[in-house]
Amino acid sequence: MPVISLKDIKKIYTLGDNEVHALRGISLDIEAGEFVSIVGPSGSGKSTMMHILGCLDRPTSGQYCLDDKDVSSLSGDELADIRNKRIGFVFQGFNLLPRTTAAENVEIPLLYSRPVMGATERHERAMKALEVVGLGDRAEHGSNQLSGGQQQRVAIARALVNTPSLILADEPTGNLDTKTSIDVMHVLQDLRERLGITIVLITHEPEIAAYGTRIITVRDGAILSDEANVPHEGLAEPVAAQMLG
Amino acid sequence: MFQLIPINIWMATRSLARNRLRTFLTMLGIIIGVSAVLTMVALGTGARGSVEGDVRSAGTNLVYVRAGNYTRGGASVGVASGLGAATTLTDADARAIADEIDGITAVSPGLSMRTTVTSGASRSFAQVQGVGPDFADANMWDIDPGRMLADAGNEAVIGRALADDLFGKGFDPTGKNVRVRDADYTIVGVTDDGTEDHDEKLFVPWRAMQSSQNIRHLDFIVIAAEEAGQASRISDEVKALLRQRHGIGAASSSQGYLGAQGSGAGGVDDFTVETQAAKALTKGLYTPAAAFALANLPKLDEVTTAEMADTLDRASDTMTILLASIAGVSLIVGGIGIMNIMLVSVTERTREIGLRVATGARSADIALQFLIESVTLSLVGGLIGLVLGLVTSRIIGWSLEWPVSVPIPAMALALGIAALVGLIFGIYPARRASLLDPIDALRSE
């Protein structure tokens, strides 16, 4: 049973008189435990894809099943609950709240859990998630006291605190240097291997995409290629050379 | 959704605490509004209570005759006729008033001095008044414990506050002796009459005071009218009677204080007649200048206490409307300030909103968060304003010796309205926040 199943997903934006076809019929299955990298230049439609996969946007047509549930026609509140329980987001800009501790940031998704979760349980689960990303000792640090890599790891902890079936990472290394980028990619690989969480990574950098088990290349709103990949274990020579210039 | 309210209150306090200066400045409108209104309510209610207390106090419709005259700027006034200095008012005058004027229930001659009252080792400087038995009826005294003093003899009635001062709080002083200028009096009763300052006085029979001081005149006469509205007629008749008895010509002009006496061909009055209504109005609340102006309003002495109470009610209605308008304006201004800063906050925190939506917040959750934030803002502002208003009114009350009181409902209303302002002016920003598109919100820098 695939975690994600897209059938002929189309997304058309209307800008004045023009129709922009952001996605021109995408069909795709992602199985549990896969680490899928979606690559493509800007304007290829990968961001639109990620918004639809993340239930932040609805397709114009087509069917999207998440965990075997058709989510293409759910109401706003139902989509909010899906995002809360099934999807964890990791963004390029970390999106941590300023002047808030790491633990408090990780707790945010739990604030919107239904039924309502008590403060103690929220804190315990946040601590557990922080330990998974190796930041158990930084829980009470303010988000601005952490380095970029640490901030992104807090964001990853926030994404997995509600035990989602899917983590969506949108250019997670875009604001990081090479070394911390590799670090963050290892954390994601680790989550897949140890916890079996499905990961969908969106990036425009082939070197980062290479950490996935499967690479999907998108161009002009359609899938150009879809190949299995032997993921990088570490800082492979050619990649490192490329990245470090 | 309501289960999330406690979490939201906590989040709101956190977020408001992050921007302390801005939060404080935003609250300032509400703080100033609530505290100003509360101060004015405190002073207004206190003053109203005091005036009403005087006007409605026991023994309404009293007419006071005082020895001497007080004429502001009157060229022909002799020193000897200054208020309280004249020695022409006598017991015979009091009897004549009681005999010849209708509609009077009680007449009491009176003498007054300030002196030391001693009992054993304790002593107190107090006002001692010589009065007749009717004085209790005229003032509707409730004497407890004990009874009213007799017409003569060495009996005394003591005010509660003075008794507390001399004998200790709550002590029953009946049967005890007090000494006033070498004369001993036995206390036969205690009066507890806060409204007329009788609390701090000692009352002895007027005859006893006359003989102990070796004088034959009176300082004042208190007359109680039988019914409301009679006070002005009685005061007119008393004036005519006393002029006749003292050989003073008919009144031709009124240049005097308190509008109650005139100067005749045979010289100025050597007495002053004033009704209780005038006395109440000219006491305490107003400045001396205002008191003079008020007291010189023609026909003031014809005003009955019922009419006076009516006027006060109307005046306080006007004051209430005035206060409500000030409150309304300042709270609207405060509310606009809150709305403004909440809109700024929504814009500033677009990314935060995007993140919250992405992690599962429903649009109602976002609306609730911002709504609770604005209500918290206004409610805390209201609380600070409440405390500030109470402190300010106490300080003003203390420094001006002005009675102050804030009714509990007024405080509750102030807070309730503050919260309502936050709610009303928070709706629009909250709605804006909840309608943000998460994709745009996440993209914003």
Side-chain angles (χ1 to χ4, degrees):
Chain A
M1 180 193 93
V3 173
I4 290 171
S5 171
L6 302 180
K7 287 201 181 70
D8 199 24
I9 294 287
K10 288 182 182 164
K11 182 71 185 180
I12 300 164
Y13 294 108
T14 311
L15 295 173
D17 293 338
N18 296 335
E19 284 196 338
V20 178
H21 293 258
L23 296 178
R24 299 165 184 270
I26 301 254
S27 294
L28 151 79
D29 281 355
I30 295 174
E31 298 294 329
E34 280 193 282
F35 187 148
V36 179
S37 300
I38 298 176
V39 255
S42 51
S44 61
K46 62 181 194 305
S47 287
T48 308
M49 219 169 129
M50 127 105 191
H51 292 144
I52 288 172
L53 286 175
C55 293
L56 291 167
D57 203 356
R58 293 191 192 86
T60 312
S61 69
Q63 194 188 42
Y64 170 22
C65 291
L66 179 67
D67 282 339
D68 241 9
K69 187 179 165 122
D70 186 356
V71 296
S72 3
S73 54
L74 293 181
S75 73
D77 283 354
E78 287 168 320
L79 286 179
D81 290 348
I82 297 272
R83 289 195 297 270
N84 185 248
K85 292 214 166 49
R86 311 251 170 115
I87 302 169
F89 288 90
V90 178
F91 302 99
Q92 176 174 0
F94 321 140
N95 282 18
L96 300 185
L97 300 192
R99 277 169 276 191
T100 307
T101 66
E104 283 168 344
N105 268 290
V106 176
E107 278 182 44
I108 290 172
L110 303 178
L111 294 177
Y112 304 109
S113 291
R114 287 172 168 82
V116 172
M117 192 180 288
T120 325
E121 194 186 346
R122 286 204 306 268
H123 192 72
E124 277 169 13
R125 292 183 64 165
M127 289 305 296
K128 216 175 277 176
L130 280 169
E131 274 157 28
V132 168
V133 299
L135 284 179
D137 55 336
R138 301 290 163 94
E140 303 309 324
H141 284 228
S143 51
N144 52 337
Q145 292 170 283
L146 300 171
S147 72
Q150 286 171 331
Q151 289 189 41
Q152 193 59 300
R153 282 200 275 167
V154 170
I156 293 172
R158 183 179 62 199
L160 62 90
V161 73
N162 230 350
T163 56
S165 357
L166 170 68
I167 285 185
L168 270 179
D170 185 10
E171 303 272 11
T173 59
N175 285 5
L176 300 175
D177 61 34
T178 310
K179 192 176 168 303
T180 35
S181 292
I182 292 164
D183 212 36
V184 163
M185 293 318 294
H186 281 158
V187 172
L188 290 176
Q189 280 186 327
D190 195 44
L191 289 182
R192 183 187 80 86
E193 282 159 22
R194 282 203 298 156
L195 305 175
I197 295 176
T198 312
I199 293 169
V200 174
L201 169 78
I202 302 216
T203 181
H204 65 277
E205 297 174 89
E207 312 81 56
I208 292 299
Y211 284 84
T213 59
R214 178 178 169 191
I215 299 178
I216 297 174
T217 312
V218 187
R219 185 152 300 181
D220 298 329
I223 293 176
L224 195 68
S225 70
D226 184 348
E227 300 160 338
N229 180 51
V230 179
H232 277 300
E233 290 299 329
L235 193 60
E237 266 320 304
V239 178
Q242 227 177 331
M243 287 171 86
L244 299 170
Chain B
M1 181 169 139
F2 294 106
Q3 291 168 300
L4 288 177
I5 286 179
I7 295 174
N8 272 295
I9 291 173
W10 178 79
M11 290 198 302
T13 34
R14 284 294 307 257
S15 121
L16 293 174
R18 256 174 242 148
N19 244 321
R20 271 183 211 148
L21 180 63
R22 187 164 91 179
T23 300
F24 174 72
L25 291 176
T26 309
M27 285 176 180
L28 214 52
I30 300 280
I31 293 175
I32 291 172
V34 168
S35 65
V37 168
L38 213 77
T39 305
M40 285 187 277
V41 167
L43 297 177
T45 312
R48 189 185 171 196
S50 146
V51 173
E52 281 181 350
D54 286 343
V55 170
R56 296 200 171 124
S57 64
T60 48
N61 296 321
L62 295 185
V63 176
Y64 300 89
V65 180
R66 294 201 264 166
N69 194 347
Y70 179 80
T71 308
R72 200 167 259 246
S76 57
V77 181
V79 174
S81 67
L83 196 64
T87 56
T88 48
L89 198 64
T90 62
D91 171 40
D93 289 333
R95 277 198 310 261
I97 290 168
D99 289 346
E100 292 177 32
I101 296 174
D102 294 331
I104 290 174
T105 55
V107 175
S108 168
L111 285 156
S112 189
M113 65 176 169
R114 292 195 66 84
T115 186
T116 309
V117 178
T118 51
S119 169
S122 53
R123 50 173 52 223
S124 184
F125 192 70
Q127 188 158 29
V128 179
Q129 289 195 333
V131 296
D134 270 5
F135 195 76
D137 293 337
N139 287 291
M140 291 181 180
W141 271 2
D142 192 11
I143 297 177
D144 179 41
R147 57 170 176 82
M148 186 54 188
L149 49 78
D151 198 20
N154 282 340
E155 295 180 343
V157 168
I158 192 166
R160 185 71 253 175
L162 181 60
D164 286 348
D165 193 29
L166 279 176
F167 301 102
K169 209 164 174 52
F171 185 82
D172 176 2
T174 51
K176 293 275 175 188
N177 281 339
V178 286
R179 173 168 281 252
V180 179
R181 292 204 184 165
D182 299 330
D184 283 318
Y185 299 91
T186 308
I187 295 174
V188 295
V190 179
T191 176
D192 194 353
D193 176 7
T195 51
E196 280 289 323
D197 306 329
H198 292 157
D199 247 15
E200 296 164 359
K201 291 177 185 164
L202 181 74
F203 301 91
V204 299
W206 62 274
R207 283 183 209 280
M209 196 184 242
Q210 271 192 339
S211 57
S212 78
Q213 288 201 78
N214 202 17
I215 52 174
R216 310 194 60 79
H217 65 272
L218 296 177
D219 290 332
F220 63 89
I221 301 170
V222 176
I223 305 156
E226 203 168 301
E227 60 191 69
Q230 296 285 304
S232 53
R233 176 189 59 81
I234 289 169
S235 70
D236 282 346
E237 292 187 20
V238 166
K239 269 178 255 173
L241 180 65
L242 290 180
R243 281 186 194 126
Q244 181 204 326
R245 290 179 57 83
H246 295 186
I248 298 161
S252 59
S253 71
S254 95
Q255 55 162 288
Y257 186 54
L258 301 178
Q261 71 290 321
S263 62
V268 293
D269 286 350
D270 56 1
F271 60 90
T272 305
V273 180
E274 113 188 89
T275 57
Q276 190 183 26
K279 201 180 169 204
L281 249 193
T282 51
K283 187 184 145 200
L285 180 61
Y286 301 95
T287 61
F292 180 74
L294 262 172
N296 279 289
L297 285 176
K299 304 192 176 183
L300 182 75
D301 57 329
E302 289 172 23
V303 174
T304 66
T305 51
E307 286 168 346
M308 180 72 69
D310 239 33
T311 309
L312 280 171
D313 280 345
R314 260 181 282 128
S316 67
D317 282 352
T318 312
M319 194 156 174
T320 306
I321 292 168
L322 190 72
L323 283 177
S325 331
I326 294 168
V329 169
S330 62
L331 289 173
I332 286 173
V333 171
I336 291 171
I338 287 179
M339 180 154 90
N340 185 27
I341 221 68
M342 289 308 296
L343 285 171
V344 169
S345 179
V346 168
T347 310
E348 273 182 354
R349 287 153 69 189
T350 302
R351 273 171 83 86
E352 174 188 331
I353 295 165
L355 174 88
R356 287 179 186 278
V357 171
T359 56
R362 299 178 180 181
S363 55
D365 294 335
I366 300 294
L368 187 69
Q369 179 190 348
F370 281 89
L371 209 52
I372 285 183
E373 205 166 302
S374 64
V375 171
T376 307
L377 198 59
S378 65
L379 202 54
V380 173
L383 265 174
I384 297 175
L386 189 77
V387 173
L388 196 69
L390 289 177
V391 171
T392 313
S393 55
R394 281 288 144 78
I395 291 173
I396 293 177
W398 173 77
S399 59
L400 297 183
E401 291 179 18
W402 187 312
V404 169
S405 82
V406 187
I408 301 281
M411 291 194 242
L413 189 69
L415 280 184
I417 290 178
L420 196 67
V421 165
L423 192 69
I424 290 171
F425 288 92
I427 286 174
Y428 177 63
R431 198 175 142 70
R432 279 262 293 245
S434 72
L435 291 180
L436 277 180
D437 181 356
I439 296 170
D440 292 338
L442 284 166
R443 211 180 274 146
S444 86
E445 287 303 324

